Amino acid sequence: LPRVAMQPSAASAVFGNRLVALRSTATALTATSVAAAMNVMDDEVPLPRYAEVQWGEQKTLIASTDVRSGSEVYSVPRLPMFLRPEPDRHSVQTGSFEHLDFARALPAASLTHHECDPNGDLEIRADAAVFVARRDIAAGEILSFDYNTTEWEMSSPFECRCGSNTCVGTVA
């Protein structure tokens, strides 16, 4: 797999101190490919096929290529080792007392932004949380979903500044 150098991130604490990213060139990452990528070396960070981390004032996950509406951009495996009973700011609720830890399962996915009128939806499936484009997304566009659609109660509520006409104000 091609390797893309990365700057330091929160993911480096989980995967070691060599800052290297794996990019899947065939399909969006699945539970099997994430597990395989994590076994390659514990200091390499898997990235989704259609997304990349953009460095600037803050880290963001952007579309690395044009993405058509309905396309699966990334898949975060819903494996027992990535599930926790309590939420945190990098988890997504997948059941009554089940939260999928994005920062451990697919660190780049934890950089997906909130917007009240997002370009994607997070579909919670039996085996994964899958980011699906809800409209065409241009290369370089920040990936986003509505955090209120996946949480009963936010572990870290915040004031939204997305600027959408449908902005809810406080994401709680």
Side-chain angles (χ1 to χ4, degrees), residues 117-139:
D117 185 20
N119 55 22
D121 292 311
L122 199 62
E123 294 181 3
I124 307 303
R125 300 179 183 170
D127 63 341
V130 181
F131 183 93
V132 178
R134 69 184 332 193
R135 61 171 174 75
D136 289 347
I137 303 172

Side-chain angles (χ1 to χ4, degrees), residues 6-86:
M6 294 177 62
Q7 295 179 6
S9 70
S12 64
V14 175
F15 291 95
N17 57 17
R18 269 193 52 222
L19 301 167
V20 178
L22 297 175
R23 178 176 305 281
S24 171
T25 57
T27 61
L29 291 178
T30 62
T32 305
S33 62
V34 168
M38 288 174 58
N39 288 330
V40 174
M41 293 182 76
D42 66 353
D43 56 359
E44 295 178 332
V45 180
L47 288 176
R49 177 181 180 201
Y50 298 115
E52 63 187 51
V53 177
Q54 176 178 312
W55 302 92
E57 284 185 34
Q58 76 179 74
K59 294 175 283 193
T60 54
L61 192 63
I62 63 171
S64 58
T65 186
D66 291 344
V67 179
R68 294 180 79 68
S69 179
S71 296
E72 293 183 2
V73 178
Y74 64 76
S75 178
V76 181
R78 196 172 170 186
L79 299 173
M81 64 185 168
F82 300 133
L83 299 176
R84 58 179 48 208
E86 299 293 326

